[in-house]
Amino acid sequence: MVVFAGQGDARRTMALLWRTEGPGDARPGPKPGLSVDVIVDAAIAVADAEGMAALSMRAVGERLGRTAMALYTYVPSKSELVDLMYDRTLAELPAGYDPRAGWRAGVTSWAEHAWAFYLRHPWVLQVSQVRPVLGPNEYVMLETVVGVLRETGLEAGALRRIVGTLFYFVRGAAQTVAESRQAAAATGVSDEQWWQARAALLGEVAPDFAERFPMVAWLESGATSPPEDESVPYLEREARKTFEAGLAVLLDGIEATVDRAGA
């Protein structure tokens, strides 16, 4: 399921994101009044617990003990709500890292925080990056990463592509784990069960697999490793190793780029 940001009224959405218009303040009454923040927090709780497919104005209203109609005074529709949810969750990410530790340590810390963030809120990965939300916290995240990498001394054009690559990499790596968890929940079949069943059948239907695909067979021969924590599903363990190795390669590549540029 892919959700595209920016599908609501542009002016109203931007005003809500940047808090330049109401109603956003709590209103007096026999019950605590609603506000944009209260509604957005409830929507995030729905998406965290039940996924993006379960998100609706009605579901959010029920969580707050209100009707869906009571929410529309604050948030015009689900389209604007998704934008607000996305930007609000990004506020969880740190807004800065100690420059004394160096840019490599800063990028590593940011990547680790982003990885954990995506797995706390897997629905965020369903919000397409094709059309950004353009909210304040989205810009804080970008400002933070650029601020860390600015220490490399690279010029803006090169740094722009590096930042984009880092975002694609971390998001993609986390998505593998998020989808693995969703697959197990949706199908009732664990990663281990799925792979064991098909690996055995592959040997039956393709007994000459190693001869037909020697490079793949060679690659798989290096997959042996010491005993691991079996409480973590197989695909999650592999995704985590790939994340760590890939991040190291990217950081080495940035260092090489810095050396070539004489920065």
Side-chain angles (χ1 to χ4, degrees), residues 10-116:
R11 183 171 296 278
R12 187 73 190 278
T13 301
M14 295 299 284
L16 286 168
L17 283 167
W18 293 86
R19 294 298 192 270
T20 58
E21 73 169 37
D25 300 325
R27 296 180 173 185
K31 286 186 177 182
L34 291 176
S35 70
V36 173
D37 288 341
V38 167
I39 293 168
V40 172
D41 287 344
I44 291 170
V46 170
D48 284 346
E50 304 175 52
M52 184 65 87
L55 180 69
S56 67
M57 298 296 277
R58 179 179 179 181
V60 177
E62 289 176 351
R63 192 174 189 89
L64 293 170
R66 304 295 182 91
T67 65
M69 290 300 296
L71 310 185
Y72 290 121
T73 301
Y74 300 84
V75 181
S77 73
K78 178 181 172 181
S79 294
E80 289 87 356
L81 182 60
V82 168
D83 291 7
L84 293 167
M85 291 165 59
Y86 180 87
D87 194 69
R88 187 166 178 82
T89 57
L90 290 177
E92 295 178 14
L93 291 169
Y97 295 92
D98 187 354
R100 294 172 297 180
W103 67 264
R104 184 164 183 137
V107 172
T108 300
S109 294
W110 171 80
E112 291 283 358
H113 286 134
W115 165 278

Side-chain angles (χ1 to χ4, degrees), residues 204-227:
E204 292 180 18
V205 300
D208 59 343
F209 183 90
E211 289 73 32
R212 293 174 63 184
F213 307 103
M215 295 298 102
V216 175
W218 171 78
L219 191 66
E220 289 300 310
S221 69
T224 57
S225 60

Side-chain angles (χ1 to χ4, degrees), residues 29-261:
K31 286 186 177 182
L34 291 176
S35 70
V36 173
D37 288 341
V38 167
I39 293 168
V40 172
D41 287 344
I44 291 170
V46 170
D48 284 346
E50 304 175 52
M52 184 65 87
L55 180 69
S56 67
M57 298 296 277
R58 179 179 179 181
V60 177
E62 289 176 351
R63 192 174 189 89
L64 293 170
R66 304 295 182 91
T67 65
M69 290 300 296
L71 310 185
Y72 290 121
T73 301
Y74 300 84
V75 181
S77 73
K78 178 181 172 181
S79 294
E80 289 87 356
L81 182 60
V82 168
D83 291 7
L84 293 167
M85 291 165 59
Y86 180 87
D87 194 69
R88 187 166 178 82
T89 57
L90 290 177
E92 295 178 14
L93 291 169
Y97 295 92
D98 187 354
R100 294 172 297 180
W103 67 264
R104 184 164 183 137
V107 172
T108 300
S109 294
W110 171 80
E112 291 283 358
H113 286 134
W115 165 278
F117 164 78
Y118 286 130
L119 296 185
R120 281 197 307 274
H121 306 291
W123 58 268
V124 169
L125 295 165
Q126 294 176 283
V127 180
S128 173
Q129 298 297 282
V130 172
R131 295 178 179 177
V133 170
L134 303 180
N137 292 315
E138 193 173 47
Y139 280 111
V140 168
M141 177 175 64
L142 181 58
E143 181 83 2
T144 300
V145 177
V146 174
V148 172
L149 284 167
R150 185 75 185 273
E151 298 300 316
T152 63
L154 290 171
E155 52 92 15
L159 211 55
R160 181 184 182 92
R161 305 310 171 197
I162 289 170
V163 169
T165 300
L166 282 169
F167 274 98
Y168 294 148
F169 169 74
V170 176
R171 183 181 170 96
Q175 191 150 15
T176 298
V177 175
E179 290 180 358
S180 171
R181 293 176 180 178
Q182 291 165 5
T187 66
V189 178
S190 70
D191 288 341
E192 284 77 7
Q193 292 170 328
W194 191 93
W195 282 104
Q196 287 170 3
R198 280 155 182 77
L201 291 173
L202 186 61
E204 292 180 18
V205 300
D208 59 343
F209 183 90
E211 289 73 32
R212 293 174 63 184
F213 307 103
M215 295 298 102
V216 175
W218 171 78
L219 191 66
E220 289 300 310
S221 69
T224 57
S225 60
E228 301 178 69
D229 181 4
E230 296 297 329
S231 65
V232 180
Y234 165 76
L235 195 56
E236 285 197 36
R237 296 197 304 267
E238 288 299 303
R240 177 65 196 187
K241 290 178 185 176
T242 300
F243 169 73
E244 293 170 354
L247 182 59
V249 169
L250 282 174
L251 295 174
D252 288 345
I254 295 171
E255 285 191 350
T257 302
V258 172
D259 291 341
R260 286 197 302 271

